[in-house]
Amino acid sequence: MPPTPTPTETPLPSASPWPLVRTEVEPQAKRNAVRLLEALGTWPRGQDGTGSARRRAKAQGVPSASAPGLVEQAGPLLDAGSEATARVIAAQYGGLLATRASVLVAMRQWGRADDGTVRAGGATVDVRLGRSPGGWQVGALYPSRPAPPLARPGALIEQVVGHDRIHLPPAADADVRAGQLRPRALRALLALAETYEIDVSVVHTGHPRNVFGTNRLSDHTRMRAFDVWAVDGKTVIDPETPDSLIDGFMRAAARAGAYNIGGPRLLGGGGFFSDRVHRDHLHIAFDSDS
C-alpha cells in the first residue's frame, strides 16, 4: 500500500470520472480520450513516472494506449509530483471525420510538490483518434503549452481573468494572461458576461492549428476565437438544456461582434453554422484583431 499522508499535509482532491451523456455523437471516441487522460493524470503517492503511467493507461483498456511513445506525449500531465489527481473540466470535439477525430480535453490537476504542498495546474490536450474495425483508437496526444503571462497585461485582460461570471480552465486562463486572445474577443466575453455565466473550454493552445481535415488556419490559432461548453451552468450537449438559452447566447455573441458562430442548431441569419462537431460546444470567432 502507498504511504499514508502525514497529518500536516493537505489531502489532494479525489478523482471524479467525467460523465458522458446519452446524446454524445461518438461516445466511444470521447470516452477513450477522457479515460486515458484521467488515468495518465492521476496516481497515488510513489507511482509517478512514465512506467507507472503506461501501466495505468493499459489498465484502462483504451485501444493503442500502450503504443510506444504515446504516454510520453502527455508531457505536463506526468510531471505533477509524487502523487496527483486530474479531473476533466470539459471534453469537446476539435474535429470529426469518418475515420479521424480530435477530442479536446480541458483538465485541472493537483499534484504533491517535494515540500509536501499541493500545487494546482492543468492542461488542455488535443487527443487524436482513428477509427479501425474495432472502434476508435487513440493515436496521439498534443497537450497545451501556453506562452508566459504578460508582464503588463492591461485592464482588459485583468477584467476577463478576474470576472466571476467567466470561468476559464487552466490552459485558457494562461492563454488570456499571455495575450493570446485578441481585444475584440475579450470585449465580447465581458459583454456576454453581463447577461450570462460563461464556461469557456478552449481559447488558443490545445486546439488543432488548422480547421480539422483542411489546410485552413483556425481562428483559434489566429487568437480570435473562444469555445464555450456551458452557459449559466447548463452544458451545451445536455438534452435538458433549453434551446432558448443556447440560441439566445449565440445571437448575443453575434450582437457582440462575432462573425462565425457554431452550435448544435443552425440559426437563421448570417454567420451561424451547425455540424456534428458543434453539438457539444459553441464556437465564437471574430474577423478582426482589434
Side-chain angles (χ1 to χ4, degrees), residues 74-120:
L77 289 178
L78 304 180
D79 300 328
S82 59
E83 61 176 323
T85 300
R87 289 183 185 172
V88 172
I89 299 170
Q92 68 176 59
Y93 293 107
L96 187 57
L97 304 176
T99 59
R100 293 189 293 135
S102 161
V103 177
L104 311 183
V105 185
M107 308 185 71
R108 195 177 304 281
Q109 187 181 42
W110 298 267
R112 180 81 60 193
D114 292 339
D115 61 2
T117 59
V118 176
R119 299 178 299 186

Side-chain angles (χ1 to χ4, degrees), residues 124 144-150 157 160-161 168-182 186 200-207 220 223 225-226:
T124 295
S144 58
R145 299 185 185 277
L150 298 175
I157 289 175
V160 168
V161 298
L168 301 165
D173 182 85
D175 285 341
V176 174
R177 293 178 187 274
Q180 294 181 318
L181 187 61
R182 302 297 189 187
L186 293 171
V200 174
S201 49
V202 179
V203 169
H204 176 61
T205 58
H207 192 280
H220 289 275
M223 298 182 284
F226 58 86

Side-chain angles (χ1 to χ4, degrees), residues 189-201:
L189 267 173
L190 292 172
L192 289 164
E194 293 179 5
T195 305
Y196 299 98
E197 186 174 353
I198 307 166
D199 279 285
V200 174
S201 49

Side-chain angles (χ1 to χ4, degrees), residues 3 13 34 62 80 82 93 96 102 113 138 149 151 156-157 186 192 217 232 235 237 254-255 287 290:
V34 166
V62 176
S82 59
Y93 293 107
L96 187 57
S102 161
V138 176
L156 194 57
I157 289 175
L186 293 171
L192 289 164
L217 202 63
D232 287 350
T235 61
I237 195 171
R255 292 193 296 271
D287 62 357
S290 61

